[in-house]
Amino acid sequence: MGTLVEIAAYPDTNRVRTAVAEAYERMEAIEAATDHREEDSVLAALRRGERVTLSGDLRAAFASAMMIARESSGAFDPTMGKVVSLWGFDMDTPRLPLEQELRNSLKTVGFEKVTLAGSIIKADSPVWLDLGGVAKGYAVDEAVKVLKEQGASAGIVNAGGDLKAFGKKPGGKRWRIGVQAPDDHQELAGVLEITNGAVATSGDYERYFETGGKRYHHILDPGTGYPARSGLRSVTIVAFDCLLADALSTAIFVMGPEKGLELLKGRDGVHAVLVLETGEVLTTGGVGSEVGFERR
Ligand code: AMP
Ligand code: MG
């Protein structure tokens, strides 16, 4: 998943140590299931137009991605695979695609052209899935399940800032989660305090390259195929599940502050911290009350 994963769990017993090892294994299995780079992966077969049966993990991640795609009217779209691969953000060497290449690749994009029937994906033409917007969140949630099932009373699974925490730490303190400032890895825009729940961030500083004096980042607008420019530098979502936080943060980054906040209305237990291009930090109602927040 292109990131460092850290797991901490309590109490420090042999059983819980084994649980931590199993949680890593569970995440590796999900990474393999949702992989699209290897030619022998299910997603590679799908884009060659082969009929494939989805594993339980792939089905779950895809179904959730499709739900967020519908709810965000396609600002989040798991069928962006061909466009993502043109930019190479999923590889080590990103590059600026030609306009013509982008136009052609955009023809393969459109979650509404794809349906899930049982464990089969149905579409009229090959489907280029990229589950990079949900896989990390899903893997974090599943790792937490393993820890809890194996007797951990508290813990945190952190996949490069997309994380889920549960239970009381020794000493009973809440989990403190830093929200990074966009331009300085050492600086924080604020600190969240949560008890049980997940946090995920999408930011334009996470993966990007510069060419011709311009910056290009990895969160793409499905309407244009170019990096989304919606007035935001980062979106941090607090939710019970990391998958939801992960997908919503990407969707809202694309939608921008106004439409993005609209998407959050009526979702109990879901909160947001938005860092705008102007440097302003916007928070939803529950931030500072339902979840703790200190501005920096
Ligand atoms: P995140 O860092 O969680 O915001 O996820 C970004 C990743 O999701 C990218 O690296 C792509 O693999 C994929 N992605 C980029 N743009 C979109 C989009 N508009 N909808 C769904 N997935 C996307
Ligand atoms: Mg995300």
Side-chain angles (χ1 to χ4, degrees), residues 152-179:
S153 58
I156 186 164
V157 177
N158 183 357
D162 288 7
L163 59 90
K164 182 166 178 168
F166 65 98
K168 279 221 160 73
K169 288 199 294 187
K173 292 216 178 87
R174 294 201 281 181
W175 302 94
R176 289 170 59 81
I177 318 291
V179 177

Side-chain angles (χ1 to χ4, degrees), residues 66-137:
M66 288 291 277
M67 186 186 78
I68 301 297
R70 281 190 290 273
E71 291 178 1
S72 69
S73 306
F76 184 91
D77 194 323
T79 67
M80 289 280 281
K82 193 163 188 181
V83 177
V84 174
S85 71
L86 257 190
W87 286 92
F89 283 115
D90 49 351
M91 258 83 72
D92 296 332
T93 48
R95 67 173 186 103
L96 180 61
L98 301 173
E99 280 225 43
Q100 184 62 36
E101 290 178 301
L102 271 179
R103 256 201 305 276
N104 284 338
S105 303
L106 276 173
K107 291 179 193 151
T108 64
V109 175
F111 73 94
E112 61 294 274
K113 297 184 234 170
V114 178
T115 52
L116 181 62
S119 296
I120 305 285
I121 290 181
K122 291 198 169 154
D124 292 333
S125 44
V127 183
W128 289 67
L129 283 191
D130 176 336
L131 296 175
V134 288
K136 238 190 290 175

Side-chain angles (χ1 to χ4, degrees), residues 174 192-196 238 267-271 284-293:
R174 294 201 281 181
L192 286 160
E193 280 197 344
I194 60 168
T195 40
N196 276 305
V238 183
R267 288 178 198 266
D268 282 343
V270 180
H271 312 288
T284 56
V287 175
S289 53
E290 283 179 58
V291 295
F293 188 62

Side-chain angles (χ1 to χ4, degrees), residues 238-252:
V238 183
F240 187 68
D241 289 318
C242 194
L243 185 146
L244 186 65
D246 190 8
L248 282 177
S249 63
T250 309
I252 290 170

Side-chain angles (χ1 to χ4, degrees), residues 4-256:
L4 179 76
V5 177
E6 292 174 297
I7 299 180
Y10 305 95
D12 185 5
T13 59
N14 280 341
R15 187 167 174 229
V16 170
R17 282 173 180 237
T18 307
V20 170
E22 281 176 22
Y24 277 118
E25 280 167 26
R26 184 78 184 93
M27 294 182 87
E28 277 166 13
I30 292 168
E31 176 175 41
T34 55
D35 177 76
H36 61 106
R37 295 178 195 85
E38 301 294 334
E39 283 311 305
D40 61 356
S41 64
V42 173
L43 295 191
L46 193 66
R47 65 178 178 246
R48 289 192 295 267
E50 291 168 28
R51 188 187 157 96
V52 296
T53 304
L54 306 186
S55 66
D57 281 332
L58 197 46
R59 191 186 180 286
F62 175 67
S64 304
M66 288 291 277
M67 186 186 78
I68 301 297
R70 281 190 290 273
E71 291 178 1
S72 69
S73 306
F76 184 91
D77 194 323
T79 67
M80 289 280 281
K82 193 163 188 181
V83 177
V84 174
S85 71
L86 257 190
W87 286 92
F89 283 115
D90 49 351
M91 258 83 72
D92 296 332
T93 48
R95 67 173 186 103
L96 180 61
L98 301 173
E99 280 225 43
Q100 184 62 36
E101 290 178 301
L102 271 179
R103 256 201 305 276
N104 284 338
S105 303
L106 276 173
K107 291 179 193 151
T108 64
V109 175
F111 73 94
E112 61 294 274
K113 297 184 234 170
V114 178
T115 52
L116 181 62
S119 296
I120 305 285
I121 290 181
K122 291 198 169 154
D124 292 333
S125 44
V127 183
W128 289 67
L129 283 191
D130 176 336
L131 296 175
V134 288
K136 238 190 290 175
Y138 176 66
V140 166
D141 288 337
E142 292 299 306
V144 166
K145 273 191 207 164
V146 171
L147 297 177
K148 285 183 172 173
E149 279 163 14
Q150 307 287 337
S153 58
I156 186 164
V157 177
N158 183 357
D162 288 7
L163 59 90
K164 182 166 178 168
F166 65 98
K168 279 221 160 73
K169 288 199 294 187
K173 292 216 178 87
R174 294 201 281 181
W175 302 94
R176 289 170 59 81
I177 318 291
V179 177
Q180 203 181 300
D183 289 316
D184 186 343
H185 289 257
Q186 311 297 326
E187 292 268 319
L188 295 178
V191 179
L192 286 160
E193 280 197 344
I194 60 168
T195 40
N196 276 305
V199 179
T201 298
S202 290
D204 68 3
Y205 51 84
E206 293 182 306
R207 261 187 277 165
Y208 66 92
F209 65 92
E210 282 169 29
T211 184
K214 269 189 162 179
R215 257 173 81 111
Y216 298 91
H217 64 80
H218 73 302
I219 305 164
L220 304 174
D221 183 341
T224 64
Y226 282 93
R229 291 225 45 193
S230 61
L232 289 166
R233 298 297 312 278
S234 75
V235 177
T236 298
I237 300 290
V238 183
F240 187 68
D241 289 318
C242 194
L243 185 146
L244 186 65
D246 190 8
L248 282 177
S249 63
T250 309
I252 290 170
F253 190 99
V254 173
M255 296 168 90

